[in-house]
Amino acid sequence: MEELRELVRPYRLHLDFLRPENALLRYPWEDEAAMPPADPPKPAPVKGEGLARGFLCKRTRAKPKPASGSRANSKAKKVSNWDLPPQRFEFVEEKQIQVGDWRGVEQSGHVQKPKAAEACHFYRLPALVPSVQSISKYLLQNPDLFSTELDSVDKTPTFEFYPFRDGEWIDQGMRHLLEEILDRVMVYVRLRYDGRCAASDILVRRYLPGERRSHGVHFDGHALVTAVLGLTDPETYQGGLYVQPGPDVTSRTYFRLEPGDLLVHSFDLQHGVHVWEGARYSIVFWIKDSAQAVRDRSTPWYRRLEEQGDADVLFNLAQNFEHGLFGEPVDLAKALELYELSAGKGHHFAQNNLGLIYRRLHESSGEEQLLRKSVHWLKAAAEAGFAMAQKNLALAYANGQGLRRDDAQAVVWMRKAAEQLEVEAAYMMGEMYRRGCGVSSQEGVMWYLRSAEAGFPKAQYTVGMLYLEGSGLSQDLGKAETWLKLAAKQGNPEAKNNVATLHAQRGEVAEASQIWEELAKSGEPNAQCNLGMAYLRGAGRPEDPDLAAEWLRKAAQQGHQMALQALATL
């Protein structure tokens, strides 16, 4: 199996496919008669006027070979967690309360944290907001408010926006709709938690088909209190917000939030979002323990609680010291101390983070004992059932990092993570098949599809290519373009390039050159070369030899051979 840096990449742009001696691929504006004959010729998947052919970002092919102890022809294992309906959390305790001028019911629930004496408590206030229709209408009318910037954790687009940040309103339209709601939320939070609490941030999140469908299990470590306002009828989607007290998915239960319901919890609740079907919108309020903490962007409550030795407190504080967050300096020694204390109490997040930190320290120092520590903690969290650690342990086996390289064990642990709805692990299962790790073709395609349907951009691109090539899936150019467009919408450059190529093959050169321009400005050399050729030939752009030379030169400076060849003819 190839190194980690190769395993986690999608099918990439391969410049060797674009060299003149490759007879199977050419630029759409090249003279077919001047190309050397192919044996046998490979017809273009789409025909049309204008630019008759375009190069695609091709998938590299690897002949599958069974790994030791595995059977390539084994039937795909049923993955019940992907097929079973989500289990609902049932509130059984409630009481009448008054929040300002609102009278209603407070429903309370709790889950027991593993290896901890205390439970996590949370509360639902049904119909705290009588109507959210005006908010929903505003969001539907302004879809461009949602950002496609990459999430700091999983590096995929967020599809969220902040109308209120660091204690200040940013979007005046949402301010008009939310100001009174925020006041009501804060009255409740101050009654329930601390009278000094202050709102720090408000963000709106959406989960639409083809976009992000999940936020992996996590803690809101930057907020003392989180409040989530439902906006979407739960009958129109499946899944939603869940609580997961244990390390594995079997402890996961989902909250039902009607439009206007508010769910409130503190920083110690392990939770996430997964949507199988439909569309879901929600508003999240992040609240700190004082207005000063909002101004300082700090989390002072962790310092006050540190001596109590709670594993969640130690973990969240360790993260602050590791990354220099929320008023704490970067102090790796302090972070390691806190992580060790939390991990020793069985905290699977802390165990996983220790495993990754010790691996990085080994890479910089070469000390073998650090790699042994890395494997020790990754195994502890993985064997407890934590999907993120299972994925990381699989990659350790795949790359021989502290363990004997073992493709079969890599597949075993990656499958465990993928079965827990870990969307990147599902994609990697497909990659493991493609790289010849003894996973059957049928199973590899299944995992790609699961990951793609969960909104993972790399998987969406790959599924699009499978449909385009008829590899593992029946060739279907319509479905291929649909999946490539979804991946392109989430910023995947290979998908954008291929969508442009499909436009060009249909003679839609203006649309193609517009996409190439966007990619070229981001520095992508294939698009720079294509855009230069578009200006050179007047294909979708006005003929302009100077602009053509400018873009061809940019591509050539990155080693693009065809750009060099084109420049030589100017």
Side-chain angles (χ1 to χ4, degrees), residues 190-365:
R190 288 169 181 148
L191 287 171
R192 167 54 67 187
Y193 292 93
D194 187 328
R196 300 173 301 158
C197 282
S200 174
D201 305 283
I202 302 176
L203 74 156
V204 186
R205 282 187 172 144
R206 77 183 190 199
Y207 301 86
L208 303 184
E211 295 182 357
R212 170 188 283 276
R213 303 295 273 167
S214 67
H215 272 85
V217 63
H218 63 280
F219 296 91
D220 289 343
H222 53 283
L224 176 68
V225 179
T226 295
V228 181
L229 181 67
L231 296 179
T232 307
D233 181 353
E235 296 296 333
T236 64
Y237 66 89
Q238 186 180 53
L241 177 65
Y242 64 79
V243 56
Q244 181 179 312
D248 62 275
V249 74
T250 59
S251 66
R252 183 177 296 183
T253 51
Y254 288 75
F255 296 113
R256 181 182 174 90
L257 290 180
E258 301 282 351
D261 288 2
L262 189 76
L263 185 93
V264 183
H265 64 84
S266 191
F267 65 85
D268 59 348
L269 185 69
Q270 184 175 280
H271 65 285
V273 173
H274 191 97
V275 179
W276 275 268
E277 297 177 0
R280 177 181 181 267
Y281 288 78
S282 64
I283 297 179
V284 182
F285 302 83
W286 282 328
I287 299 157
K288 294 183 181 290
D289 65 346
S290 67
Q292 186 65 45
V294 174
R295 289 191 292 270
D296 296 342
R297 300 181 181 178
S298 60
T299 53
W301 56 90
Y302 290 129
R303 287 298 191 103
R304 295 197 300 269
L305 297 171
E306 180 182 358
E307 291 185 359
Q308 297 180 14
D310 180 83
D312 292 327
V313 170
L314 297 171
F315 167 73
N316 285 317
L317 188 54
Q319 287 201 114
N320 291 353
F321 279 110
E322 181 186 358
H323 302 291
L325 300 174
F326 308 118
E328 305 295 356
V330 174
D331 187 337
L332 190 56
K334 179 66 173 176
L336 284 171
E337 175 190 343
L338 293 167
Y339 276 137
E340 291 272 5
L341 289 171
S342 182
K345 295 174 180 289
H347 200 285
H348 43 279
F349 268 99
Q351 292 170 341
N352 178 72
N353 284 18
L354 276 175
L356 298 181
I357 291 174
Y358 281 128
R359 180 188 294 173
R360 292 199 302 269
L361 291 175
H362 163 76
E363 290 170 355
S364 61
S365 69

Side-chain angles (χ1 to χ4, degrees), residues 160 162-170 200-202 286 294:
E160 63 188 26
Y162 288 79
F164 182 87
R165 196 154 204 174
D166 297 324
E168 301 290 339
W169 287 101
I170 298 171
S200 174
D201 305 283
I202 302 176
W286 282 328
V294 174

Side-chain angles (χ1 to χ4, degrees), residues 27 73 75 113 144 165 168 200 215 232 236 251 286 313 325 364 371 391-392 403 411 429 444 448 460 462 490 502 547:
Y27 282 99
N73 296 323
K75 293 183 179 180
K113 296 190 289 185
D144 292 339
R165 196 154 204 174
E168 301 290 339
S200 174
H215 272 85
T232 307
T236 64
S251 66
W286 282 328
V313 170
L325 300 174
S364 61
L371 205 51
K391 178 178 66 178
N392 289 327
L403 295 158
V411 170
M429 280 296 295
Y448 278 139
Q460 292 175 333
T462 303
Q490 297 206 64
L502 293 174
L547 279 175

